[in-house]
Amino acid sequence: MSKKVSIIMPAYNAQNWIKETIYNIQKQTYTNWELIIVNDGSTDDTELLCQKIAEKDNRIKVLTQSNKGPSAARNFGLSHMTGEYFTIIDCDDLLYSNALEVYLSTAQKYKADMVIAGFRTINTSTGTVYESFIPEEMCYRPNSVINTEQTERLVKAGLMASNWNKLYATDLAKLRFNTEISLNEDVLFSLTALSQSAIVAVTPVILYEYRVQNRQSVSRKFHPEFPEALAELEKQLLFGQKEKLIEGLQVWLMNYLYIHLKNICMNDSINQENKVKCIEAIVRTSLFKKYATVCKADTLNRKIAVCMLRAHLYKVYISLVRAKRR
């Protein structure tokens, strides 16, 4: 296995954890790699720390841009990669020492354009750990269609939640992250890569550690562009097909919607009137009308939410959500 693997890492104000992430990459059992760190306008010592490490390891490149967000940073890194394959890592996560070796052996075994691995999630505040994986190897040909049972299985296992538990062939480096949306852009990238892969392989091995730090999660913030982001996910899943998503993908998509609705209700920076307007806008979308049904909701609370939202009881819904979260 002589193929070079490019590792793309966006970094913003990461001085407290990025050294461990880099040192862990240096422990890879497979050594033909390059690490491209994109310093996204950090105001702390992130760039200095990375430069010092890079001076001692010529496989590490440090690029700097003004602060444009993680999607733009990933795109910048992709434009500078020289490997035959690439993977993406967040600056506070860990790539297990055998990751590149397993990725490459799986890719070459199946001649895969995309390899999807399991990952472990660790909440650094609570110590909670859970694992996402499929218990056996899989290999299939999407043929540009990803509204399928295979994709349904991947999303149910949590393996399409981000871009980082995957290895991509260099042909997919032409893809770019959507910088117009600030959530689900990583999911969208993964789905696009899935649809453009001739062969996709899945390994049951856990290769990545996702660390939930004691910081405000992007998923808990209010994103006014959420309806557009959700519509982009449906568009990519359908990829030119006219029929609806299969049931498991409908449920997956709506789970994002319910989480966002709760975030609107719980956001203290938005007054009641604007919360109602935001919720009304979501209820008017074609996605809500198509997929937000009682039979598709996967919990009792979500079944109740669908009934209330379809009855336009927005203020009551907001009050109930806030009361349950206290």
Side-chain angles (χ1 to χ4, degrees):
M1 294 188 296
S2 60
K3 303 291 187 180
K4 182 193 285 187
V5 180
S6 298
I7 305 168
I8 311 298
M9 182 196 296
Y12 175 73
N13 286 355
Q15 66 178 19
N16 293 331
W17 46 78
I18 197 168
K19 286 171 66 175
E20 182 182 8
T21 302
I22 297 172
Y23 290 155
N24 209 68
I25 290 171
Q26 292 177 309
K27 295 176 183 176
Q28 287 296 306
T29 56
Y30 185 82
T31 58
N32 189 14
W33 50 262
E34 65 175 359
L35 171 61
I36 301 175
I37 303 170
V38 181
N39 172 42
D40 187 36
S42 296
T43 57
D44 64 359
D45 289 333
T46 295
E47 183 179 14
L48 179 62
L49 287 171
C50 293
Q51 291 286 8
K52 285 184 177 180
I53 298 172
E55 287 174 2
K56 300 177 181 179
D57 192 334
N58 60 14
R59 296 172 298 180
I60 300 174
K61 304 174 185 177
V62 182
L63 309 176
T64 295
Q65 64 176 22
S66 58
N67 182 242
K68 298 177 182 178
S71 288
R74 294 184 191 113
N75 290 341
F76 192 41
L78 287 171
S79 67
H80 285 80
M81 59 167 278
T82 62
E84 286 88 356
Y85 293 91
F86 70 94
T87 190
I88 299 168
I89 182 171
D90 286 349
C91 61
D92 54 350
D93 294 340
L94 298 181
L95 197 63
Y96 289 167
S97 61
N98 64 333
L100 298 185
E101 185 175 353
V102 174
Y103 272 138
L104 276 173
S105 63
T106 306
Q108 295 182 359
K109 176 180 178 180
Y110 294 106
K111 296 182 172 55
D113 302 291
M114 184 176 182
V115 178
I116 303 171
F119 65 93
R120 181 173 289 112
T121 300
I122 297 181
N123 188 309
T124 58
S125 299
T126 65
T128 303
V129 178
Y130 65 89
E131 297 178 342
S132 303
F133 63 96
I134 286 177
E136 73 279 342
E137 284 190 345
M138 282 176 52
C139 180
Y140 70 102
R141 295 177 179 271
N143 293 322
S144 299
V145 178
I146 59 173
N147 183 24
T148 63
E149 291 180 1
Q150 291 96 336
T151 305
E152 182 182 48
R153 189 176 182 197
L154 290 170
V155 302
K156 282 184 176 180
L159 299 183
M160 298 305 293
S162 192
N163 57 83
W164 31 246
N165 61 316
K166 302 167 179 73
L167 181 77
Y168 310 87
T170 188
D171 287 347
L172 297 174
K174 66 181 182 296
L175 301 178
R176 290 294 181 267
F177 287 82
N178 187 335
T179 58
E180 300 301 315
I181 56 177
S182 59
L183 79 168
N184 296 341
E185 76 286 351
D186 49 355
V187 183
L188 184 60
F189 181 90
S190 293
L191 291 175
T192 304
L194 192 68
S195 69
Q196 296 194 19
S197 296
I199 300 176
V200 174
V202 183
T203 174
V205 185
I206 291 175
L207 300 178
Y208 192 96
E209 185 172 297
Y210 170 56
R211 294 183 167 186
V212 181
Q213 304 284 355
N214 188 21
R215 293 172 285 138
Q216 187 179 14
S217 169
V218 171
S219 64
R220 295 182 181 179
K221 296 178 181 178
F222 171 63
H223 299 268
E225 77 277 22
F226 176 81
E228 292 81 7
L230 206 62
E232 283 297 316
L233 286 182
E234 186 207 26
K235 180 181 176 182
Q236 189 55 57
L237 283 164
L238 287 173
F239 202 66
Q241 301 175 69
K242 293 182 180 179
E243 58 269 14
K244 292 182 179 180
L245 298 175
I246 61 177
E247 184 172 340
L249 297 180
Q250 292 180 29
V251 172
W252 181 60
L253 208 59
M254 288 303 97
N255 284 345
Y256 279 114
L257 182 141
Y258 295 127
I259 292 169
H260 182 69
L261 286 169
K262 286 183 179 179
N263 290 343
I264 292 173
C265 296
M266 296 304 297
N267 195 315
D268 293 329
S269 66
I270 310 172
N271 62 32
Q272 180 89 338
E273 182 182 355
N274 284 327
K275 287 178 181 179
V276 169
K277 287 181 180 179
C278 290
I279 294 171
E280 280 180 327
I282 290 172
V283 172
R284 285 197 300 266
T285 63
S286 62
L287 283 175
F288 185 91
K289 293 174 182 177
K290 279 195 290 185
Y291 303 133
T293 63
V294 172
C295 63
K296 295 294 192 302
D298 59 354
T299 68
L300 177 59
N301 285 341
R302 288 173 179 175
K303 292 179 187 295
I304 294 171
V306 170
C307 293
M308 296 181 70
L309 294 170
R310 287 190 176 275
H312 309 300
L313 300 174
Y314 305 130
K315 291 183 180 179
V316 178
Y317 172 72
I318 293 169
S319 298
L320 281 176
V321 172
R322 292 184 67 84
K324 288 182 179 179
R325 289 298 181 96
R326 285 177 187 147

